[in-house]
Amino acid sequence: MAESTKAEKLELINKRIRAFPDFPVKGILFRDICPILKDPKALTAVIDLFEEHVRQTCPQIELIVGLDARGFLFGPLLAQRLGIGFVLVRKKGKLPGPTVSVSYALEYGKAEAEIQEDAVSPGQKVLIVDDLLATGGTLGAACDLMKKQQAEVVGCLVVIEMTELKGVERLKPYPVFSLVHF
């Protein structure tokens, strides 16, 4: 069987994303990636496209940082393909041992994120992975955590980018790679 093209992979991914209006609050159109996870071909397509991008644009990457909770779904698979480690950025109070944390605003509230103090080494080149970029609050917080840890953020990867919310602007100067745009 012939390998799928980039366009075919993107079409498959796009078909597996569902929209739920007014979730988690009225006025938010939630983009659900659960059908991607249910379909092994769609999940493989996401990881294939992420891997291709990383190998072409930042082969010097040393560590994948995944955001709570959906970055945990894509990040370890990508890290395994690249032969590098994976670390977690979690919601406040979920990690054992000494942690470093930051507060940030979401499009519909506030939150705190943290990482274990020894998860990232100073100067380490990291790539941050999540499922969705909206206003950039969560990814921005992860970038701030990496800065506190003196790591070098090489870029951010997301499956979905909500372009009208301009989260990319908030993340400058860090490059963002998105598979699907709404």
Side-chain angles (χ1 to χ4, degrees), residues 64-126:
I64 299 291
V65 176
L67 303 188
D68 196 347
R70 291 178 178 89
F72 300 173
L73 304 171
F74 302 106
L77 296 172
L78 178 59
Q80 184 180 39
R81 287 252 193 114
L82 297 170
I84 60 176
F86 173 81
V87 298
L88 312 169
V89 169
R90 299 232 36 207
K91 294 175 180 107
K92 182 91 173 143
K94 300 291 184 180
L95 290 171
T99 60
V100 177
S101 67
V102 294
S103 296
Y104 63 100
L106 295 167
E107 61 273 22
Y108 49 84
K110 290 189 178 206
E112 272 189 273
E114 66 183 2
I115 190 166
Q116 289 175 316
E117 214 172 60
D118 63 353
V120 180
S121 302
Q124 199 164 26
K125 291 173 177 50
V126 303

Side-chain angles (χ1 to χ4, degrees), residues 4-5 7 10 37 40 43 55 82 86 93 95 107 112 115 139 146 152 157 163 166 168:
S4 299
T5 66
L10 287 170
L37 302 172
L43 181 56
R55 289 193 188 280
L82 297 170
F86 173 81
L95 290 171
E107 61 273 22
E112 272 189 273
I115 190 166
L139 277 169
M146 294 304 103
E152 181 184 334
L157 299 176
T163 53
K166 299 183 182 356
V168 168

Side-chain angles (χ1 to χ4, degrees), residues 2-150:
E3 187 175 325
S4 299
T5 66
K6 182 176 180 176
E8 290 168 336
K9 288 176 183 179
L10 287 170
E11 183 181 348
L12 175 60
I13 293 164
N14 203 24
K15 283 181 179 178
R16 296 298 183 266
I17 297 169
R18 295 186 295 191
F20 286 96
D22 299 323
F23 183 82
V25 296
K26 190 164 181 62
I28 300 290
L29 180 61
F30 187 87
R31 301 292 179 166
D32 180 26
I33 53 97
C34 290
I36 291 172
L37 302 172
K38 188 177 174 183
D39 180 344
K41 288 181 182 173
L43 181 56
T44 298
V46 168
I47 304 306
D48 285 351
L49 293 171
F50 278 170
E51 179 186 12
E52 179 183 315
H53 173 78
V54 171
R55 289 193 188 280
Q56 289 175 359
T57 63
C58 44
Q60 76 281 19
I61 200 68
E62 298 173 286
L63 191 66
I64 299 291
V65 176
L67 303 188
D68 196 347
R70 291 178 178 89
F72 300 173
L73 304 171
F74 302 106
L77 296 172
L78 178 59
Q80 184 180 39
R81 287 252 193 114
L82 297 170
I84 60 176
F86 173 81
V87 298
L88 312 169
V89 169
R90 299 232 36 207
K91 294 175 180 107
K92 182 91 173 143
K94 300 291 184 180
L95 290 171
T99 60
V100 177
S101 67
V102 294
S103 296
Y104 63 100
L106 295 167
E107 61 273 22
Y108 49 84
K110 290 189 178 206
E112 272 189 273
E114 66 183 2
I115 190 166
Q116 289 175 316
E117 214 172 60
D118 63 353
V120 180
S121 302
Q124 199 164 26
K125 291 173 177 50
V126 303
L127 193 61
I128 302 172
V129 178
D130 203 4
D131 68 324
L132 182 128
L133 170 59
T135 64
T138 308
L139 277 169
C143 291
D144 291 345
L145 277 172
M146 294 304 103
K147 190 174 181 179
K148 275 187 168 187
Q149 295 299 90
Q150 300 172 25

Side-chain angles (χ1 to χ4, degrees), residues 67 128 130 132-144 153-158 160-161 165-178:
L67 303 188
I128 302 172
D130 203 4
L132 182 128
L133 170 59
T135 64
T138 308
L139 277 169
C143 291
D144 291 345
V153 177
V154 176
C156 302
L157 299 176
V158 294
I160 301 167
E161 180 183 336
L165 297 176
K166 299 183 182 356
V168 168
E169 296 299 316
R170 185 171 181 175
L171 294 174
K172 284 183 178 178
Y174 307 112
V176 177
F177 177 71
S178 314

